[in-house]
Amino acid sequence: MFAPYQTHNGGLSTKKLDRENFVSHHSGTDLTELCALVALVPVLAFTLQWFCARQQHYTHLAVSCSWLQAFGQITWVVIPTILAVMSESALWPLTVMLCVITILLICWTIRQEHLSGLTKSLQRLAEQHRKSYITSIRGCILICTAISILAVDFQAFPRRYCKAEKFGHGLMDLGVGSFIFSSSIASRPGDQQSSLQTNSRSMQNNFLLLALGLARLLSVKSLDYQEHASEYGVHWNFFLTVAAVSTLTTIAPIPKPYSFAAGCLISAIHQLALSRGLIDIVHADERGPQLWHLNKEGLLSVPGYWALSLLSTGLSRHLHPQLQAQNPGSHATRVSGRQAWLWLGRLLTVAAGLWGTLFVVLHWVQPVSRRACNLPYVVWSLTLNWTMLVLFVCGSLFSRVDAPLDLMSACSSNMLPLFLLANLFTGAVNLMLDSLLVPDMQAIGIVCLYMVLFCCVAFGLHSNNIQLKLDSKQASSNVTKHA
């Protein structure tokens, strides 16, 4: 696959250095390969839903799901994703095969269901109060993240999928942007902007995230665990970034009608500062003794992530078509067939606009830099995540299944606890064995076993109706949706 990484013979500190070097100094991959990876889970989910619906084995989503369904969904969705990510020879054959199958299934559906059947399916999707495709994208993000954070430590994981050191985009660069997108996109137009009680709950959640960030810092330092300092900084980490964004959202609430414009303004100002020399500070290898300079990546990227959150909130209004009440005294709503197709057209138009904007900023502004969260990174994250969301919408349309897979719902309902569990599993594996010396097939087997266990825990919590929310009174809490 590629030349084996040479390790030193030594103790834990030497192994730590080897592992840190192994995930450093990479430049990412191209957009075509990223698109194939991003589309993989939505297309696998669509084909599974389509076949199950036609064979009448798929039951409507309920809290109690059968373990037979769980095994089938893990086998159909998770295992192929692991093979595509960790095997150089699997991605493109799998992509071509899925493209052919998808085209055939769509053609068959159009022929059998006709326009009227598809219109009814689209109306149901547009009228959903609890958006199934948002549940699906949240579950997809967690599954891909859980796979990547362990797979990256093995040689079987292609280095071009790692986080880019300075400019560039790898699969893992999408992680934090996707979490923030999936949190913000769930905002509904009717949500209250702020209240003393809501702000109090939000601040409690923010303090919990801060505590998680500090706990991760202490555990990493005490265990002498490998770190990638250029990712967030010497002390900064993912939880602190999410806590900072959530705190800014709480203390500086921006009305949803103005969130998109505010996000554009903040991202533009941030990009202007980066273009005038700030990005050289972010990308510099030197670190001063000051605390802020030791954590320059984490601190100086926060405005970009805040802008990404605001832009995602602004885009969320396109997920909610104008609904017509059935009668003046009824709370029931209805979307006409014409409105439903206009709604889908708007989703596709936004996707096309984002892709056009991405090519413009990549050509005229800067390459993507997750490390600085520059304007191209913000647009890149929005584009890929919105495309993934549209794929889930289209998958539900042509499969004519309104509910998400149980696997997606199980992962979505406990994102933060499951993300923490994935980190604990990853740490345990890395402490038990030297991942750099594991052969490729054994590495794939380890990751498969780890993901089966991870998904079983997710299914177990979901089947027992256990939702470990940070705030049980606020099911759609900002914080739980960030992770």
Side-chain angles (χ1 to χ4, degrees):
M1 187 179 299
F2 46 79
Y5 185 83
Q6 299 298 319
T7 60
H8 303 89
N9 294 321
L12 183 61
S13 296
T14 304
K15 290 181 180 179
K16 174 186 173 184
L17 182 61
D18 287 336
R19 289 172 175 174
E20 289 174 353
N21 290 333
F22 189 58
V23 298
S24 303
H25 312 297
H26 303 295
S27 56
T29 186
D30 58 79
L31 268 177
T32 303
E33 190 169 32
L34 276 176
C35 288
L37 291 166
V38 164
L40 190 60
V41 173
V43 174
L44 286 168
F46 159 67
T47 54
L48 179 59
Q49 286 181 311
W50 194 96
F51 284 116
C52 289
R54 297 319 184 270
Q55 295 298 322
Q56 298 182 344
H57 293 318
Y58 186 87
T59 58
H60 193 276
L61 178 68
V63 173
S64 58
C65 56
S66 71
W67 286 100
L68 183 60
Q69 282 182 321
F71 176 76
Q73 292 176 20
I74 293 171
T75 304
W76 190 283
V77 177
V78 177
I79 302 303
T81 303
I82 294 173
L83 293 175
V85 168
M86 298 188 68
S87 174
E88 293 273 7
S89 59
L91 176 60
W92 290 113
L94 183 61
T95 301
V96 172
M97 181 185 69
L98 287 174
C99 284
V100 172
I101 293 174
T102 300
I103 292 171
L104 293 175
L105 296 184
I106 290 174
C107 291
W108 192 95
T109 303
I110 293 173
R111 182 178 178 181
Q112 295 294 320
E113 304 292 344
H114 304 294
L115 183 60
S116 59
L118 292 176
T119 299
K120 291 178 182 178
S121 178
L122 190 57
Q123 284 176 282
R124 291 195 300 269
L125 279 173
E127 291 170 356
Q128 284 181 337
H129 178 71
R130 190 182 183 90
K131 308 295 186 184
S132 61
Y133 44 86
I134 292 180
T135 299
S136 294
I137 193 173
R138 283 161 52 80
C140 172
I141 289 167
L142 182 60
I143 289 168
C144 293
T145 301
I147 292 171
S148 298
I149 60 176
L150 177 60
V152 69
D153 295 321
F154 294 99
Q155 294 205 46
F157 189 82
R159 295 300 91 192
R160 62 183 181 277
Y161 295 166
C162 297
K163 292 180 178 178
E165 191 73 12
K166 294 182 178 179
F167 291 115
H169 37 62
L171 176 63
M172 295 192 69
D173 285 309
L174 195 58
V176 61
S178 294
F179 278 116
I180 291 177
F181 173 88
S182 67
S183 167
S184 305
I185 203 70
S187 301
R188 289 189 292 268
D191 290 346
Q192 295 296 321
Q193 292 303 317
S194 63
S195 69
L196 183 60
Q197 185 180 12
T198 302
N199 287 340
S200 175
R201 287 199 298 265
S202 297
M203 291 308 297
Q204 290 176 6
N205 292 332
N206 297 343
F207 281 124
L208 179 54
L209 269 177
L210 177 63
L212 289 173
L214 294 176
R216 175 178 170 79
L217 170 64
L218 292 175
S219 61
V220 167
K221 298 296 183 183
S222 61
L223 294 173
D224 198 29
Y225 195 75
Q226 64 260 26
E227 301 174 81
H228 188 191
S230 62
E231 184 177 352
Y232 291 105
V234 176
H235 310 101
W236 203 265
N237 56 53
F238 165 83
F239 295 103
L240 297 180
T241 292
V242 176
V245 172
S246 187
T247 301
L248 286 171
T249 303
T250 303
I251 65 177
I254 296 174
K256 289 183 176 64
Y258 307 106
S259 60
F260 190 84
C264 290
L265 179 62
I266 293 170
S267 189
I269 294 173
H270 184 230
Q271 180 58 51
L272 181 63
L274 291 172
S275 298
R276 290 177 175 267
L278 188 63
I279 200 165
D280 294 329
I281 297 175
V282 175
H283 287 169
D285 295 331
E286 299 79 14
R287 297 180 185 275
Q290 302 91 347
L291 185 63
W292 78 268
H293 205 270
L294 291 172
N295 301 284
K296 52 192 174 70
E297 293 90 351
L299 290 169
L300 296 179
S301 64
V302 166
Y305 288 118
W306 186 26
L308 175 59
S309 175
L310 292 170
L311 289 167
S312 301
T313 301
L315 288 177
S316 68
R317 66 188 179 91
H318 296 293
L319 303 179
H320 308 279
Q322 292 293 323
L323 301 177
Q324 298 173 335
Q326 290 180 340
N327 58 64
S330 173
H331 294 289
T333 56
R334 176 179 297 167
V335 173
S336 67
R338 180 175 180 274
Q339 286 176 319
W341 286 107
L342 287 174
W343 171 69
L344 179 60
R346 190 160 69 245
L347 298 184
L348 294 171
T349 301
V350 171
L354 287 172
W355 277 106
T357 304
L358 176 61
F359 288 122
V360 169
V361 297
L362 288 177
H363 183 75
W364 293 102
V365 183
Q366 272 180 344
V368 168
S369 172
R370 175 208 47 81
R371 195 168 166 183
C373 194
N374 60 353
L375 174 61
Y377 176 81
V378 171
V379 178
W380 176 76
S381 295
L382 284 173
T383 302
L384 292 183
N385 281 286
W386 187 268
T387 300
M388 187 159 44
L389 185 144
V390 172
L391 287 175
F392 277 116
V393 172
C394 293
S396 296
L397 169 63
F398 288 105
S399 68
R400 301 202 65 190
V401 176
D402 300 334
L405 291 175
D406 293 322
L407 174 63
M408 301 301 175
S409 188
C411 291
S412 174
S413 61
N414 285 293
M415 285 193 79
L416 179 57
L418 290 173
F419 179 69
L420 291 172
L421 179 66
N423 277 272
L424 291 175
F425 281 170
T426 300
V429 170
N430 277 295
L431 290 175
M432 288 189 297
L433 54 84
D434 190 344
S435 57
L436 299 183
L437 301 179
V438 177
D440 289 356
M441 292 306 297
Q442 290 184 26
I444 293 173
I446 290 171
V447 176
C448 287
L449 181 62
Y450 146 80
M451 283 304 299
V452 169
L453 180 59
F454 173 84
C455 292
C456 285
V457 173
F459 274 114
L461 293 173
H462 184 63
S463 62
N464 289 285
N465 198 21
I466 299 174
Q467 295 187 1
L468 305 175
K469 300 288 184 180
L470 294 179
D471 187 341
S472 59
K473 296 181 181 179
Q474 192 179 7
S476 60
S477 168
N478 242 5
V479 181
T480 57
K481 288 171 184 167
H482 272 304

